[in-house]
């Protein structure tokens, strides 16, 4: 699958569109669209490339990663998928948004389909394996495409850093154990596409990430 990255909203969230070019099926990962202009960017991309959105997937349900869920579901008639352990965050989306003074722009999120460790998500001819990576949030997941050699890490692993754990449900030892045991064990050449900032690789983070020594 081919990975397209968009940076949206005041949070600088990386929203990814994963496209199976053989079938033109695609998934939107972490819809971060915050206003009508950003909605139009996503809708225009899908239309110009003749894509069919089959899945809306959240690596976790913090407000920055899910602020565009409701609009994406309305536009593309696709299910919202996330781990059940983050359901409480989806039901508190407006409460989360109050911290940033944007509650009027945010809707609570209901998960359509629960994802669990080891699930395989089919996107056209492509496949994503769900990896449960708790710690940043209880239901944090990563999405691994073994065939194309990349993982969408959400806010668990960044270039030179890891996710914060001072939000509800966060836990630093849990996050470090999950990243070390589940992400750093992937092939070193695996490209890591994080929820914020630039891409990296598993090998680079294994060698250099100061939080994972």
């Amino acid at each position: 699958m081919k990975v397209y990255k968009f940076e949206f909203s005041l949070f600088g969230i990386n929203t990814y569109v994963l496209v199976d070019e053989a079938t033109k099926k695609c998934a939107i990962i972490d819809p971060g669209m915050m206003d009508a202009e950003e909605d139009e960017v996503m809708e225009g991309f899908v239309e110009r490339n003749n894509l069919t959105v089959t899945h809306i997937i959240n690596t976790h349900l913090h407000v920055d990663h899910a602020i565009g869920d409701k609009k994406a579901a309305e536009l593309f008639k696709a299910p919202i998928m996330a781990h059940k352990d983050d359901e409480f965050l989806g039901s508190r989306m407006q409460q989360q948004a109050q911290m940033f003074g944007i509650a009027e722009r945010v809707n609570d999120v209901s998960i359509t389909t629960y994802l669990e460790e080891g699930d395989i998500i089919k996107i056209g001819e492509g496949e994503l394996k769900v990896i449960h990576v708790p710690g940043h949030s209880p239901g944090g997941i990563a999405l691994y495409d073994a065939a194309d050699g990349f993982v969408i890490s959400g806010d668990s692993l960044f270039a030179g850093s890891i996710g914060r754990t001072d939000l509800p449900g966060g836990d630093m030892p849990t996050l470090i154990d999950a990243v070390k045991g589940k992400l750093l064990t992937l092939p070193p050449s695996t490209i890591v596409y994080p929820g914020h900032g630039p891409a990296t690789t598993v090998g680079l983070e294994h060698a250099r990430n100061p939080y994972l020594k």
Side-chain angles (χ1 to χ4, degrees), residues 117-132:
E117 171 80 24
D119 284 352
I120 301 296
I121 304 169
K122 295 278 293 181
I123 303 167
E125 296 176 1
E127 291 187 351
L128 293 173
K129 182 178 180 180
V130 175
I131 303 173
H132 185 208

Side-chain angles (χ1 to χ4, degrees), residues 4 17 26 37 51 54 57 76 98 105 124 126 129 133 135 138 148 169 173 177 187 191 195 197 206-207:
Y4 295 87
V17 180
C26 73
E37 183 177 350
L51 302 177
T54 56
I57 308 173
F76 304 118
Q98 286 174 359
R105 307 189 195 186
K129 182 178 180 180
V133 190
D148 296 296
D177 286 348
I191 300 169
H206 196 285

Side-chain angles (χ1 to χ4, degrees), residues 13 22 24 26 35 75 83 112-113 136 142-143 153 156 170 176 185 188:
I13 167 71
K24 295 295 185 178
C26 73
D35 55 32
L75 285 172
H83 196 282
T112 309
T113 303
H136 176 65
L143 301 162
S153 63
S156 59
I176 290 175
T185 54

